[in-house]
Amino acid sequence: MRFQAPRGTEDVLPEASHAWQRLESTFRSHVAKYGYEEIRTPTFEETELFLRSAGETSDIVTKQMYDFLDKGGRSNTLKAEGTAPAMRAMIEHNLLQQIPQRISYITPVFRYERPQKGRLREHHQVGIELIGSSSPAADAEVIEIAVRFYETLGLTEFSVLINSIGRTQCRELYQAALLAYAKSYVDGQAEESQDRIRKNPLRLLDSKDSEAVELMKSAPSILDFLEPESKTNFEELQRILDQSRIQYEVAPQIVRGLDYYTETVFELQVDTIGAQSAIGGGGRYDNLIKELGGPNLPSVGFGIGIERALLTLEAAGISWQRSGLDVYIVIAEPGLLDLGRNVSDQLRSREISVVMDYDGRSMKSQLKQADRHNSRFACIIGEDEVNSDSLTIRDLRTSSQQTLPTQEAIEFLCATAD
Ligand code: HAM
């Protein structure tokens, strides 16, 4: 029997993993420039954490959680998003006495969705959270980090959509207005979805149903309902983004799929990777930490899907060379294995990557292996080399070859290999 990866999951094969490493290391060094430090949380959490945070009407909670009972009868859920687990950890370890806190993470995320291009059941996110500031400058920092991250990766064509969904009070007024506007549509829905919409009418705005999409085009805008302070905050955010020369569009239809957001929400989108166009998203969540039993701290963050980021870079023609091997050691006969291992050791202690054959392959076949490894040099050891305490170095880019005394050859390889 042959097994396959579970539906909606992907293997990252060796030839693709260098792109992941590049993206992740770029993310780490990028966010470090803004003072963010990494947090790692477990792959699963108590189910209740996601019920409390993502919201009972969100798709994530109603349809997509990977939940299971463990052998002790506890209900657990595979990480359905990165923010609530990070906040749980910050509260649990009393790290919120001192604010602001800036944290980042790279994490798998599990959602039982219908798989398609760019939509997986296990995907990965890089994300950040800035905890303890209510300033629009904090929102701007988070948006700037997402935008500059993509720019650092070489992407220039993407949209930044921002919106404010206000605070609880104005949102209630808006939700009532939205429900009144969409009354006949809502009345025509099945009872279950009526229920969901009535509990959170904002769901109408990101509904995939074509009738709802059409209807929402002329729906009232949340921006007309904002309280004065939310309005001022949103204007200040735009002023700072303008000053930082970050291009954005105000998009009142962006409400996001998680219920914890307050005021600023945003998404980065592209039109090059099909229907799943959101390559990052986030916003402010001023009530979440309190909801989870922590102090009352305003916070803001984002998550960027790694798979979608890589699809986008590929579509934009941005690719990274696989870094090849430095040296492949070719031995003329198996008796030279120890000598080859000794040279390998010396090179590796100088940070040079080395592979050699242990299985008595012919020299021709060893040179083929060197090619397969995309090796820069072959270091050939045969009888002549042993007798003269030397090594033959073949430059596999130019095919030129030279024989040098062993120590000199090692120095040459260390100086030339990149
Ligand atoms: P989210 O919008 O649900 O937000 O996910 C963030 C990003 O993850 C999306 O923009 C997308 O790039 C990627 N993504 C989401 N679902 C999938 C999927 N099924 N397959 C592939 N990629 C996907 C959050 O999760 C929030 N925790 C972000 C946040 C952090 N807000 C505040 N802080």
PDB file of all heavy atoms in Angstrom, residues 60 81-83 105 111 113 118-121 123 125 128-129 256 258 260-261 278-283 285 300-305 307-308, ligand 1:
ATOM      1  N   ILE A  60     -14.244  29.775  10.959  1.00  0.00           N
ATOM      2  CA  ILE A  60     -13.176  29.001  11.611  1.00  0.00           C
ATOM      3  C   ILE A  60     -13.764  28.148  12.731  1.00  0.00           C
ATOM      4  O   ILE A  60     -13.468  26.953  12.840  1.00  0.00           O
ATOM      5  CB  ILE A  60     -12.071  29.952  12.125  1.00  0.00           C
ATOM      6  CG1 ILE A  60     -11.320  30.523  10.914  1.00  0.00           C
ATOM      7  CG2 ILE A  60     -11.107  29.244  13.081  1.00  0.00           C
ATOM      8  CD1 ILE A  60     -10.179  31.441  11.234  1.00  0.00           C
ATOM      9  N   GLU A  81      -5.312  29.458  14.280  1.00  0.00           N
ATOM     10  CA  GLU A  81      -4.718  30.753  13.928  1.00  0.00           C
ATOM     11  C   GLU A  81      -3.656  31.055  14.976  1.00  0.00           C
ATOM     12  O   GLU A  81      -3.584  30.369  16.012  1.00  0.00           O
ATOM     13  CB  GLU A  81      -5.788  31.849  13.839  1.00  0.00           C
ATOM     14  CG  GLU A  81      -6.532  32.105  15.126  1.00  0.00           C
ATOM     15  CD  GLU A  81      -6.080  33.390  15.782  1.00  0.00           C
ATOM     16  OE1 GLU A  81      -5.625  34.299  15.082  1.00  0.00           O
ATOM     17  OE2 GLU A  81      -6.161  33.471  17.019  1.00  0.00           O
ATOM     18  N   GLY A  82      -2.823  32.077  14.694  1.00  0.00           N
ATOM     19  CA  GLY A  82      -1.661  32.277  15.563  1.00  0.00           C
ATOM     20  C   GLY A  82      -1.849  33.238  16.723  1.00  0.00           C
ATOM     21  O   GLY A  82      -1.111  33.175  17.711  1.00  0.00           O
ATOM     22  N   THR A  83      -2.827  34.137  16.627  1.00  0.00           N
ATOM     23  CA  THR A  83      -2.897  35.231  17.593  1.00  0.00           C
ATOM     24  C   THR A  83      -3.332  34.774  18.986  1.00  0.00           C
ATOM     25  O   THR A  83      -2.666  35.093  19.984  1.00  0.00           O
ATOM     26  CB  THR A  83      -3.847  36.332  17.074  1.00  0.00           C
ATOM     27  OG1 THR A  83      -3.457  36.650  15.744  1.00  0.00           O
ATOM     28  CG2 THR A  83      -3.789  37.580  17.932  1.00  0.00           C
ATOM     29  N   TYR A 105       6.116  35.157  15.050  1.00  0.00           N
ATOM     30  CA  TYR A 105       6.048  33.692  15.031  1.00  0.00           C
ATOM     31  C   TYR A 105       6.030  33.166  13.594  1.00  0.00           C
ATOM     32  O   TYR A 105       5.687  33.884  12.655  1.00  0.00           O
ATOM     33  CB  TYR A 105       4.814  33.175  15.787  1.00  0.00           C
ATOM     34  CG  TYR A 105       3.516  33.862  15.426  1.00  0.00           C
ATOM     35  CD1 TYR A 105       2.785  33.465  14.315  1.00  0.00           C
ATOM     36  CD2 TYR A 105       3.035  34.929  16.180  1.00  0.00           C
ATOM     37  CE1 TYR A 105       1.606  34.118  13.979  1.00  0.00           C
ATOM     38  CE2 TYR A 105       1.858  35.583  15.848  1.00  0.00           C
ATOM     39  CZ  TYR A 105       1.143  35.169  14.743  1.00  0.00           C
ATOM     40  OH  TYR A 105      -0.009  35.816  14.404  1.00  0.00           O
ATOM     41  N   ARG A 111      -6.967  24.412   9.221  1.00  0.00           N
ATOM     42  CA  ARG A 111      -8.381  24.764   9.031  1.00  0.00           C
ATOM     43  C   ARG A 111      -8.991  23.768   8.053  1.00  0.00           C
ATOM     44  O   ARG A 111      -8.431  23.557   6.961  1.00  0.00           O
ATOM     45  CB  ARG A 111      -8.522  26.182   8.467  1.00  0.00           C
ATOM     46  CG  ARG A 111      -8.004  27.240   9.425  1.00  0.00           C
ATOM     47  CD  ARG A 111      -8.122  28.639   8.855  1.00  0.00           C
ATOM     48  NE  ARG A 111      -7.460  29.589   9.749  1.00  0.00           N
ATOM     49  CZ  ARG A 111      -7.223  30.851   9.452  1.00  0.00           C
ATOM     50  NH1 ARG A 111      -7.609  31.350   8.304  1.00  0.00           N
ATOM     51  NH2 ARG A 111      -6.620  31.634  10.327  1.00  0.00           N
ATOM     52  N   GLU A 113     -10.819  23.370   5.420  1.00  0.00           N
ATOM     53  CA  GLU A 113     -11.443  24.124   4.335  1.00  0.00           C
ATOM     54  C   GLU A 113     -11.475  23.249   3.104  1.00  0.00           C
ATOM     55  O   GLU A 113     -10.821  22.209   3.039  1.00  0.00           O
ATOM     56  CB  GLU A 113     -10.593  25.366   4.025  1.00  0.00           C
ATOM     57  CG  GLU A 113     -10.481  26.319   5.190  1.00  0.00           C
ATOM     58  CD  GLU A 113     -10.062  27.713   4.763  1.00  0.00           C
ATOM     59  OE1 GLU A 113     -10.895  28.407   4.160  1.00  0.00           O
ATOM     60  OE2 GLU A 113      -8.923  28.100   5.038  1.00  0.00           O
ATOM     61  N   GLY A 118      -3.801  27.561  -3.265  1.00  0.00           N
ATOM     62  CA  GLY A 118      -3.628  28.601  -2.246  1.00  0.00           C
ATOM     63  C   GLY A 118      -4.536  28.445  -1.033  1.00  0.00           C
ATOM     64  O   GLY A 118      -4.537  29.304  -0.160  1.00  0.00           O
ATOM     65  N   ARG A 119      -5.335  27.365  -0.992  1.00  0.00           N
ATOM     66  CA  ARG A 119      -6.164  27.159   0.203  1.00  0.00           C
ATOM     67  C   ARG A 119      -5.956  25.730   0.700  1.00  0.00           C
ATOM     68  O   ARG A 119      -6.365  24.771   0.053  1.00  0.00           O
ATOM     69  CB  ARG A 119      -7.642  27.404  -0.095  1.00  0.00           C
ATOM     70  CG  ARG A 119      -8.472  27.387   1.194  1.00  0.00           C
ATOM     71  CD  ARG A 119      -9.849  27.955   0.984  1.00  0.00           C
ATOM     72  NE  ARG A 119     -10.655  27.099   0.132  1.00  0.00           N
ATOM     73  CZ  ARG A 119     -11.783  27.491  -0.472  1.00  0.00           C
ATOM     74  NH1 ARG A 119     -12.227  28.710  -0.324  1.00  0.00           N
ATOM     75  NH2 ARG A 119     -12.446  26.653  -1.226  1.00  0.00           N
ATOM     76  N   LEU A 120      -5.310  25.625   1.837  1.00  0.00           N
ATOM     77  CA  LEU A 120      -4.899  24.319   2.346  1.00  0.00           C
ATOM     78  C   LEU A 120      -5.562  24.029   3.681  1.00  0.00           C
ATOM     79  O   LEU A 120      -6.079  24.929   4.334  1.00  0.00           O
ATOM     80  CB  LEU A 120      -3.380  24.329   2.544  1.00  0.00           C
ATOM     81  CG  LEU A 120      -2.584  24.464   1.249  1.00  0.00           C
ATOM     82  CD1 LEU A 120      -1.231  25.084   1.502  1.00  0.00           C
ATOM     83  CD2 LEU A 120      -2.433  23.110   0.596  1.00  0.00           C
ATOM     84  N   ARG A 121      -5.503  22.769   4.073  1.00  0.00           N
ATOM     85  CA  ARG A 121      -6.008  22.415   5.412  1.00  0.00           C
ATOM     86  C   ARG A 121      -4.915  22.560   6.459  1.00  0.00           C
ATOM     87  O   ARG A 121      -5.196  22.778   7.621  1.00  0.00           O
ATOM     88  CB  ARG A 121      -6.585  21.000   5.383  1.00  0.00           C
ATOM     89  CG  ARG A 121      -7.866  20.986   4.589  1.00  0.00           C
ATOM     90  CD  ARG A 121      -8.544  19.654   4.564  1.00  0.00           C
ATOM     91  NE  ARG A 121      -9.824  19.796   3.900  1.00  0.00           N
ATOM     92  CZ  ARG A 121     -10.578  18.782   3.506  1.00  0.00           C
ATOM     93  NH1 ARG A 121     -10.165  17.534   3.712  1.00  0.00           N
ATOM     94  NH2 ARG A 121     -11.724  19.006   2.913  1.00  0.00           N
ATOM     95  N   HIS A 123      -1.785  25.111   6.525  1.00  0.00           N
ATOM     96  CA  HIS A 123      -0.922  26.090   5.874  1.00  0.00           C
ATOM     97  C   HIS A 123       0.005  26.670   6.938  1.00  0.00           C
ATOM     98  O   HIS A 123      -0.055  26.271   8.100  1.00  0.00           O
ATOM     99  CB  HIS A 123      -1.743  27.182   5.167  1.00  0.00           C
ATOM    100  CG  HIS A 123      -2.405  28.165   6.076  1.00  0.00           C
ATOM    101  ND1 HIS A 123      -3.627  27.934   6.690  1.00  0.00           N
ATOM    102  CD2 HIS A 123      -2.030  29.397   6.498  1.00  0.00           C
ATOM    103  CE1 HIS A 123      -3.965  28.985   7.424  1.00  0.00           C
ATOM    104  NE2 HIS A 123      -3.010  29.889   7.334  1.00  0.00           N
ATOM    105  N   GLN A 125       2.023  30.240   8.526  1.00  0.00           N
ATOM    106  CA  GLN A 125       1.997  31.707   8.566  1.00  0.00           C
ATOM    107  C   GLN A 125       3.253  32.246   9.231  1.00  0.00           C
ATOM    108  O   GLN A 125       3.769  31.659  10.176  1.00  0.00           O
ATOM    109  CB  GLN A 125       0.803  32.215   9.395  1.00  0.00           C
ATOM    110  CG  GLN A 125      -0.542  32.000   8.745  1.00  0.00           C
ATOM    111  CD  GLN A 125      -1.678  32.652   9.529  1.00  0.00           C
ATOM    112  OE1 GLN A 125      -1.459  33.493  10.398  1.00  0.00           O
ATOM    113  NE2 GLN A 125      -2.896  32.257   9.213  1.00  0.00           N
ATOM    114  N   ILE A 128       3.185  38.730  13.223  1.00  0.00           N
ATOM    115  CA  ILE A 128       3.682  39.542  14.347  1.00  0.00           C
ATOM    116  C   ILE A 128       2.507  40.073  15.164  1.00  0.00           C
ATOM    117  O   ILE A 128       1.384  40.173  14.657  1.00  0.00           O
ATOM    118  CB  ILE A 128       4.520  40.763  13.878  1.00  0.00           C
ATOM    119  CG1 ILE A 128       3.677  41.702  12.988  1.00  0.00           C
ATOM    120  CG2 ILE A 128       5.770  40.325  13.158  1.00  0.00           C
ATOM    121  CD1 ILE A 128       4.326  43.069  12.800  1.00  0.00           C
ATOM    122  N   GLU A 129       2.773  40.407  16.416  1.00  0.00           N
ATOM    123  CA  GLU A 129       1.770  41.046  17.270  1.00  0.00           C
ATOM    124  C   GLU A 129       2.475  42.160  18.050  1.00  0.00           C
ATOM    125  O   GLU A 129       3.536  41.934  18.639  1.00  0.00           O
ATOM    126  CB  GLU A 129       1.164  40.043  18.276  1.00  0.00           C
ATOM    127  CG  GLU A 129       0.711  38.708  17.683  1.00  0.00           C
ATOM    128  CD  GLU A 129      -0.473  38.774  16.735  1.00  0.00           C
ATOM    129  OE1 GLU A 129      -1.156  39.822  16.672  1.00  0.00           O
ATOM    130  OE2 GLU A 129      -0.712  37.769  16.020  1.00  0.00           O
ATOM    131  N   ARG A 256     -12.805  40.880   7.548  1.00  0.00           N
ATOM    132  CA  ARG A 256     -12.000  39.792   8.108  1.00  0.00           C
ATOM    133  C   ARG A 256     -12.860  38.673   8.695  1.00  0.00           C
ATOM    134  O   ARG A 256     -13.980  38.884   9.109  1.00  0.00           O
ATOM    135  CB  ARG A 256     -11.012  40.298   9.166  1.00  0.00           C
ATOM    136  CG  ARG A 256     -10.256  41.550   8.772  1.00  0.00           C
ATOM    137  CD  ARG A 256      -8.943  41.287   8.109  1.00  0.00           C
ATOM    138  NE  ARG A 256      -8.112  40.434   8.911  1.00  0.00           N
ATOM    139  CZ  ARG A 256      -7.553  39.326   8.423  1.00  0.00           C
ATOM    140  NH1 ARG A 256      -7.721  38.964   7.186  1.00  0.00           N
ATOM    141  NH2 ARG A 256      -6.804  38.584   9.210  1.00  0.00           N
ATOM    142  N   LEU A 258     -12.305  36.741  11.382  1.00  0.00           N
ATOM    143  CA  LEU A 258     -12.223  36.419  12.809  1.00  0.00           C
ATOM    144  C   LEU A 258     -12.963  37.513  13.575  1.00  0.00           C
ATOM    145  O   LEU A 258     -12.905  38.683  13.203  1.00  0.00           O
ATOM    146  CB  LEU A 258     -10.753  36.391  13.243  1.00  0.00           C
ATOM    147  CG  LEU A 258      -9.929  35.249  12.642  1.00  0.00           C
ATOM    148  CD1 LEU A 258      -8.491  35.678  12.381  1.00  0.00           C
ATOM    149  CD2 LEU A 258      -9.960  34.051  13.574  1.00  0.00           C
ATOM    150  N   TYR A 260     -12.478  38.826  16.537  1.00  0.00           N
ATOM    151  CA  TYR A 260     -11.865  39.619  17.612  1.00  0.00           C
ATOM    152  C   TYR A 260     -11.432  41.025  17.208  1.00  0.00           C
ATOM    153  O   TYR A 260     -10.949  41.783  18.034  1.00  0.00           O
ATOM    154  CB  TYR A 260     -10.704  38.871  18.272  1.00  0.00           C
ATOM    155  CG  TYR A 260      -9.615  38.290  17.374  1.00  0.00           C
ATOM    156  CD1 TYR A 260      -8.858  39.080  16.526  1.00  0.00           C
ATOM    157  CD2 TYR A 260      -9.328  36.928  17.441  1.00  0.00           C
ATOM    158  CE1 TYR A 260      -7.846  38.541  15.745  1.00  0.00           C
ATOM    159  CE2 TYR A 260      -8.303  36.373  16.667  1.00  0.00           C
ATOM    160  CZ  TYR A 260      -7.576  37.182  15.820  1.00  0.00           C
ATOM    161  OH  TYR A 260      -6.574  36.644  15.056  1.00  0.00           O
ATOM    162  N   TYR A 261     -11.605  41.380  15.944  1.00  0.00           N
ATOM    163  CA  TYR A 261     -11.059  42.677  15.508  1.00  0.00           C
ATOM    164  C   TYR A 261     -11.878  43.878  15.991  1.00  0.00           C
ATOM    165  O   TYR A 261     -13.098  43.795  16.156  1.00  0.00           O
ATOM    166  CB  TYR A 261     -10.931  42.714  13.986  1.00  0.00           C
ATOM    167  CG  TYR A 261      -9.861  41.785  13.471  1.00  0.00           C
ATOM    168  CD1 TYR A 261     -10.197  40.633  12.773  1.00  0.00           C
ATOM    169  CD2 TYR A 261      -8.519  42.040  13.716  1.00  0.00           C
ATOM    170  CE1 TYR A 261      -9.208  39.766  12.314  1.00  0.00           C
ATOM    171  CE2 TYR A 261      -7.531  41.176  13.263  1.00  0.00           C
ATOM    172  CZ  TYR A 261      -7.880  40.045  12.562  1.00  0.00           C
ATOM    173  OH  TYR A 261      -6.903  39.194  12.121  1.00  0.00           O
ATOM    174  N   ALA A 278      -5.804  36.766  -0.876  1.00  0.00           N
ATOM    175  CA  ALA A 278      -5.276  37.460   0.313  1.00  0.00           C
ATOM    176  C   ALA A 278      -3.916  36.869   0.679  1.00  0.00           C
ATOM    177  O   ALA A 278      -3.815  35.706   1.078  1.00  0.00           O
ATOM    178  CB  ALA A 278      -6.237  37.323   1.479  1.00  0.00           C
ATOM    179  N   ILE A 279      -2.874  37.669   0.538  1.00  0.00           N
ATOM    180  CA  ILE A 279      -1.529  37.170   0.853  1.00  0.00           C
ATOM    181  C   ILE A 279      -1.086  37.643   2.238  1.00  0.00           C
ATOM    182  O   ILE A 279       0.059  37.480   2.622  1.00  0.00           O
ATOM    183  CB  ILE A 279      -0.496  37.561  -0.221  1.00  0.00           C
ATOM    184  CG1 ILE A 279      -0.485  39.091  -0.433  1.00  0.00           C
ATOM    185  CG2 ILE A 279      -0.793  36.836  -1.527  1.00  0.00           C
ATOM    186  CD1 ILE A 279       0.715  39.583  -1.220  1.00  0.00           C
ATOM    187  N   GLY A 280      -2.012  38.193   2.986  1.00  0.00           N
ATOM    188  CA  GLY A 280      -1.706  38.599   4.357  1.00  0.00           C
ATOM    189  C   GLY A 280      -2.869  39.405   4.893  1.00  0.00           C
ATOM    190  O   GLY A 280      -3.624  39.991   4.115  1.00  0.00           O
ATOM    191  N   GLY A 281      -3.027  39.384   6.188  1.00  0.00           N
ATOM    192  CA  GLY A 281      -4.122  40.166   6.752  1.00  0.00           C
ATOM    193  C   GLY A 281      -3.961  40.292   8.251  1.00  0.00           C
ATOM    194  O   GLY A 281      -3.255  39.515   8.890  1.00  0.00           O
ATOM    195  N   GLY A 282      -4.605  41.305   8.782  1.00  0.00           N
ATOM    196  CA  GLY A 282      -4.516  41.479  10.231  1.00  0.00           C
ATOM    197  C   GLY A 282      -5.354  42.645  10.682  1.00  0.00           C
ATOM    198  O   GLY A 282      -6.253  43.094   9.968  1.00  0.00           O
ATOM    199  N   GLY A 283      -5.025  43.150  11.851  1.00  0.00           N
ATOM    200  CA  GLY A 283      -5.773  44.282  12.376  1.00  0.00           C
ATOM    201  C   GLY A 283      -5.609  44.384  13.873  1.00  0.00           C
ATOM    202  O   GLY A 283      -4.807  43.675  14.505  1.00  0.00           O
ATOM    203  N   TYR A 285      -6.989  44.320  17.771  1.00  0.00           N
ATOM    204  CA  TYR A 285      -7.903  43.472  18.573  1.00  0.00           C
ATOM    205  C   TYR A 285      -7.822  43.931  20.031  1.00  0.00           C
ATOM    206  O   TYR A 285      -7.152  43.337  20.850  1.00  0.00           O
ATOM    207  CB  TYR A 285      -7.572  41.976  18.395  1.00  0.00           C
ATOM    208  CG  TYR A 285      -6.113  41.623  18.559  1.00  0.00           C
ATOM    209  CD1 TYR A 285      -5.604  41.201  19.786  1.00  0.00           C
ATOM    210  CD2 TYR A 285      -5.226  41.716  17.494  1.00  0.00           C
ATOM    211  CE1 TYR A 285      -4.258  40.892  19.951  1.00  0.00           C
ATOM    212  CE2 TYR A 285      -3.882  41.414  17.641  1.00  0.00           C
ATOM    213  CZ  TYR A 285      -3.417  41.008  18.877  1.00  0.00           C
ATOM    214  OH  TYR A 285      -2.086  40.711  19.028  1.00  0.00           O
ATOM    215  N   VAL A 300      -2.316  44.901  18.101  1.00  0.00           N
ATOM    216  CA  VAL A 300      -2.517  44.842  16.643  1.00  0.00           C
ATOM    217  C   VAL A 300      -1.468  43.906  16.046  1.00  0.00           C
ATOM    218  O   VAL A 300      -0.368  43.785  16.579  1.00  0.00           O
ATOM    219  CB  VAL A 300      -2.440  46.281  16.035  1.00  0.00           C
ATOM    220  CG1 VAL A 300      -1.189  47.031  16.458  1.00  0.00           C
ATOM    221  CG2 VAL A 300      -2.568  46.286  14.522  1.00  0.00           C
ATOM    222  N   GLY A 301      -1.843  43.202  14.967  1.00  0.00           N
ATOM    223  CA  GLY A 301      -0.881  42.275  14.369  1.00  0.00           C
ATOM    224  C   GLY A 301      -1.310  41.844  12.984  1.00  0.00           C
ATOM    225  O   GLY A 301      -2.329  42.291  12.463  1.00  0.00           O
ATOM    226  N   PHE A 302      -0.478  40.975  12.383  1.00  0.00           N
ATOM    227  CA  PHE A 302      -0.872  40.392  11.081  1.00  0.00           C
ATOM    228  C   PHE A 302      -0.385  38.961  10.959  1.00  0.00           C
ATOM    229  O   PHE A 302       0.509  38.526  11.705  1.00  0.00           O
ATOM    230  CB  PHE A 302      -0.341  41.228   9.899  1.00  0.00           C
ATOM    231  CG  PHE A 302       1.162  41.117   9.654  1.00  0.00           C
ATOM    232  CD1 PHE A 302       1.755  39.934   9.204  1.00  0.00           C
ATOM    233  CD2 PHE A 302       1.987  42.210   9.853  1.00  0.00           C
ATOM    234  CE1 PHE A 302       3.115  39.839   8.978  1.00  0.00           C
ATOM    235  CE2 PHE A 302       3.364  42.134   9.630  1.00  0.00           C
ATOM    236  CZ  PHE A 302       3.920  40.938   9.191  1.00  0.00           C
ATOM    237  N   GLY A 303      -0.964  38.227  10.006  1.00  0.00           N
ATOM    238  CA  GLY A 303      -0.473  36.910   9.609  1.00  0.00           C
ATOM    239  C   GLY A 303      -0.342  36.900   8.089  1.00  0.00           C
ATOM    240  O   GLY A 303      -1.204  37.441   7.380  1.00  0.00           O
ATOM    241  N   ILE A 304       0.742  36.308   7.604  1.00  0.00           N
ATOM    242  CA  ILE A 304       0.973  36.190   6.151  1.00  0.00           C
ATOM    243  C   ILE A 304       1.095  34.703   5.828  1.00  0.00           C
ATOM    244  O   ILE A 304       1.867  33.991   6.472  1.00  0.00           O
ATOM    245  CB  ILE A 304       2.272  36.937   5.758  1.00  0.00           C
ATOM    246  CG1 ILE A 304       2.010  38.449   5.720  1.00  0.00           C
ATOM    247  CG2 ILE A 304       2.825  36.443   4.430  1.00  0.00           C
ATOM    248  CD1 ILE A 304       3.240  39.286   5.409  1.00  0.00           C
ATOM    249  N   GLY A 305       0.336  34.234   4.858  1.00  0.00           N
ATOM    250  CA  GLY A 305       0.383  32.819   4.490  1.00  0.00           C
ATOM    251  C   GLY A 305       1.633  32.528   3.675  1.00  0.00           C
ATOM    252  O   GLY A 305       1.832  33.125   2.614  1.00  0.00           O
ATOM    253  N   GLU A 307       2.550  29.766   2.022  1.00  0.00           N
ATOM    254  CA  GLU A 307       2.315  29.117   0.715  1.00  0.00           C
ATOM    255  C   GLU A 307       1.851  30.145  -0.317  1.00  0.00           C
ATOM    256  O   GLU A 307       2.309  30.151  -1.461  1.00  0.00           O
ATOM    257  CB  GLU A 307       1.273  28.002   0.835  1.00  0.00           C
ATOM    258  CG  GLU A 307       1.745  26.749   1.565  1.00  0.00           C
ATOM    259  CD  GLU A 307       1.634  26.847   3.090  1.00  0.00           C
ATOM    260  OE1 GLU A 307       1.303  27.935   3.609  1.00  0.00           O
ATOM    261  OE2 GLU A 307       1.875  25.810   3.757  1.00  0.00           O
ATOM    262  N   ARG A 308       0.923  31.027   0.110  1.00  0.00           N
ATOM    263  CA  ARG A 308       0.433  32.042  -0.840  1.00  0.00           C
ATOM    264  C   ARG A 308       1.528  33.036  -1.181  1.00  0.00           C
ATOM    265  O   ARG A 308       1.619  33.493  -2.323  1.00  0.00           O
ATOM    266  CB  ARG A 308      -0.773  32.783  -0.259  1.00  0.00           C
ATOM    267  CG  ARG A 308      -2.003  31.920  -0.278  1.00  0.00           C
ATOM    268  CD  ARG A 308      -3.241  32.721   0.069  1.00  0.00           C
ATOM    269  NE  ARG A 308      -4.275  31.805   0.516  1.00  0.00           N
ATOM    270  CZ  ARG A 308      -5.396  32.172   1.080  1.00  0.00           C
ATOM    271  NH1 ARG A 308      -5.645  33.457   1.281  1.00  0.00           N
ATOM    272  NH2 ARG A 308      -6.283  31.272   1.461  1.00  0.00           N
TER     273      ARG A 308
HETATM  274  P1  HAM B   1      -6.145  35.160   8.480  1.00  0.00           P
HETATM  275  O1  HAM B   1      -6.560  36.242   7.510  1.00  0.00           O
HETATM  276  O2  HAM B   1      -7.147  34.147   8.816  1.00  0.00           O
HETATM  277  O3  HAM B   1      -5.646  35.913   9.786  1.00  0.00           O
HETATM  278  O4  HAM B   1      -4.862  34.448   7.910  1.00  0.00           O
HETATM  279  C1  HAM B   1      -3.701  35.179   7.572  1.00  0.00           C
HETATM  280  C2  HAM B   1      -3.182  34.767   6.198  1.00  0.00           C
HETATM  281  O5  HAM B   1      -2.952  33.360   6.172  1.00  0.00           O
HETATM  282  C3  HAM B   1      -4.132  35.001   5.033  1.00  0.00           C
HETATM  283  O6  HAM B   1      -4.050  36.325   4.557  1.00  0.00           O
HETATM  284  C4  HAM B   1      -3.577  34.028   4.004  1.00  0.00           C
HETATM  285  O7  HAM B   1      -2.427  34.576   3.382  1.00  0.00           O
HETATM  286  C5  HAM B   1      -3.157  32.853   4.857  1.00  0.00           C
HETATM  287  N1  HAM B   1      -4.193  31.796   4.896  1.00  0.00           N
HETATM  288  C6  HAM B   1      -5.331  31.780   5.623  1.00  0.00           C
HETATM  289  N2  HAM B   1      -6.020  30.634   5.432  1.00  0.00           N
HETATM  290  C7  HAM B   1      -5.302  29.905   4.550  1.00  0.00           C
HETATM  291  C8  HAM B   1      -5.467  28.608   3.949  1.00  0.00           C
HETATM  292  N3  HAM B   1      -6.517  27.838   4.227  1.00  0.00           N
HETATM  293  N4  HAM B   1      -4.514  28.165   3.093  1.00  0.00           N
HETATM  294  C9  HAM B   1      -3.429  28.923   2.812  1.00  0.00           C
HETATM  295  N5  HAM B   1      -3.215  30.145   3.359  1.00  0.00           N
HETATM  296  C10 HAM B   1      -4.128  30.635   4.204  1.00  0.00           C
HETATM  297  C11 HAM B   1      -5.189  35.295  10.910  1.00  0.00           C
HETATM  298  O8  HAM B   1      -5.010  34.118  10.985  1.00  0.00           O
HETATM  299  C12 HAM B   1      -4.879  36.256  12.039  1.00  0.00           C
HETATM  300  N6  HAM B   1      -4.341  35.500  13.167  1.00  0.00           N
HETATM  301  C13 HAM B   1      -3.903  37.341  11.589  1.00  0.00           C
HETATM  302  C14 HAM B   1      -3.641  38.324  12.686  1.00  0.00           C
HETATM  303  C15 HAM B   1      -2.543  38.383  13.478  1.00  0.00           C
HETATM  304  N7  HAM B   1      -4.459  39.284  13.071  1.00  0.00           N
HETATM  305  C16 HAM B   1      -3.915  39.937  14.096  1.00  0.00           C
HETATM  306  N8  HAM B   1      -2.760  39.389  14.342  1.00  0.00           N
END
